[in-house]
Every structure is written in C-alpha cells, then in structure tokens.
C-alpha cells in the first residue's frame, strides 16, 4: 500500500508528538517527590474543582480502592481535603488545598525554568522558528485536547 502525503504527514506529526512527550517526561518533569498519578490528580482538581473520588478514579483509569489510597496519602500531605457535596449531603468531594495549589504552581515554575534553560541552548534562528511553530500549533493542539476530552467516555 502506497503512503499518501497526508498519511506521511500524520506519521511525522505522531513522531514529533512522541519526541515532545519524551522531552516533557524525561527532561522537564519533576521526578522527585510525588508520583505522576498524584500530580495528575492534583492538576485535575486544580482545573475542575472538587470532584467525586469515583470520577477521579475513572479519569485516571485506576480502581476506586487505589484512588481512595492515593487520596488518603494526598490528604496526609495536606494537598487535598474532603468537602461536602452540595448536591448530596451524604457524599464527599475531593478538593485541592492551598498547599496543593502551591505545589502545582511550584512544579510548573520549575518546569518552565528547565524549558527556558533548554531553549537557551538553541541558536537564535532555531528559537525564532520554535516560537513561530508554537504560535501556530498551540491553538490546534488545544482543539485536539478538547476533541479528545469530548470523545473520551471516561470524561463524561
């Protein structure tokens, strides 16, 4: 089967996406302290607000007992707290604390600093090309993220 230019382009996009993932996971992410899943849960809570434990488990693709243990560890660290569900007084929601928000913000600043250090290793021309490419790609990637979230049954 012959590859069309569009199929080849999609392959190149996929390869570039994988390279970006490696850059983020291996070189920019803070691999000290909290596990990746813990950080993802804190990020969800920071973005979406208080959430049921079952919804967090579904969003992360882990069992409810595993999420319960994770939430208990995050509670002990003062990063999350249980709050009453305004729609069901018998149920509790998991919310991020000020300490959790501060941790997420600190990790983001550190990531941005590591990225800035890497960008400084580029030539002026490469930095300008990367800046232009990101200005073009960012809104498109944003749409792809929204499309993926809308198509994900676990997100509903």
């Amino acid at each position: 089967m012959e590859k069309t230019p569009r199929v080849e382009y999609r392959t190149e996009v996929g390869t570039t996406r994988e390279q970006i993932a490696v850059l983020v996971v291996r070189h920019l992410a803070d691999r000290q302290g909290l596990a990746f899943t813990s950080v993802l849960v804190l990020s969800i809570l920071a973005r979406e607000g208080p959430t049921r434990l079952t919804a967090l488990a579904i969003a992360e693709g882990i069992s409810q007992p595993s999420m319960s243990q994770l939430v208990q560890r995050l509670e002990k660290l003062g990063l999350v707290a249980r709050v009453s569900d305004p729609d069901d007084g018998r149920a509790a929601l998991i919310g991020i604390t000020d300490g959790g928000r501060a941790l997420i913000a600190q990790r983001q600043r550190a990531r941005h600093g590591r990225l800035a250090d890497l960008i400084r290793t580029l030539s002026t021309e490469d930095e300008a090309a990367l800046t232009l490419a990101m200005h073009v790609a960012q809104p498109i990637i944003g749409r792809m993220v929204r499309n993926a979230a809308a198509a994900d049954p676990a997100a509903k």
Side-chain angles (χ1 to χ4, degrees), residues 57-111:
I58 290 168
E60 289 308 309
I62 64 174
S63 70
Q64 188 170 339
S66 294
M67 182 56 72
S68 183
Q69 290 175 348
L70 174 62
V71 166
Q72 287 173 1
R73 286 192 301 273
L74 293 173
E75 279 181 303
K76 286 179 184 173
L77 294 170
L79 303 174
V80 301
R82 295 176 193 269
V83 296
S84 294
D85 184 340
D87 298 329
D88 181 356
R90 300 167 295 165
L93 301 175
I94 310 304
I96 191 167
T97 64
D98 289 342
R101 286 185 198 289
L103 178 68
I104 292 295
Q106 181 273 325
R107 290 173 67 97
Q108 185 179 41
R109 283 190 304 275
R111 249 188 343 270

Side-chain angles (χ1 to χ4, degrees), residues 1-138:
M1 176 187 272
E2 191 175 315
K3 283 191 173 183
T4 66
R6 188 166 184 169
V7 170
E8 289 177 9
Y9 172 74
R10 286 179 181 157
T11 301
E12 289 176 21
V13 168
T15 300
T16 300
R17 184 211 47 85
E18 289 170 0
Q19 289 175 328
I20 292 169
V22 167
L23 175 67
V24 170
V25 172
R26 288 200 181 146
H27 304 289
L28 298 179
D30 178 2
R31 290 187 271 166
Q32 305 296 317
L34 290 182
F36 190 63
T37 303
S38 298
V39 174
L40 290 176
V41 167
L42 290 174
S43 295
I44 289 170
L45 295 173
R47 186 177 55 253
E48 298 179 13
T51 305
R52 285 185 181 242
L53 189 125
T54 52
L56 289 172
I58 290 168
E60 289 308 309
I62 64 174
S63 70
Q64 188 170 339
S66 294
M67 182 56 72
S68 183
Q69 290 175 348
L70 174 62
V71 166
Q72 287 173 1
R73 286 192 301 273
L74 293 173
E75 279 181 303
K76 286 179 184 173
L77 294 170
L79 303 174
V80 301
R82 295 176 193 269
V83 296
S84 294
D85 184 340
D87 298 329
D88 181 356
R90 300 167 295 165
L93 301 175
I94 310 304
I96 191 167
T97 64
D98 289 342
R101 286 185 198 289
L103 178 68
I104 292 295
Q106 181 273 325
R107 290 173 67 97
Q108 185 179 41
R109 283 190 304 275
R111 249 188 343 270
H112 289 182
R114 287 190 292 277
L115 180 58
D117 290 344
L118 284 173
I119 290 172
R120 279 192 277 283
T121 67
L122 299 175
S123 69
T124 303
E125 295 79 16
D126 283 349
E127 184 175 349
L130 180 62
T131 300
L132 177 60
M134 294 312 300
H135 281 292
V136 172
Q138 192 280 328

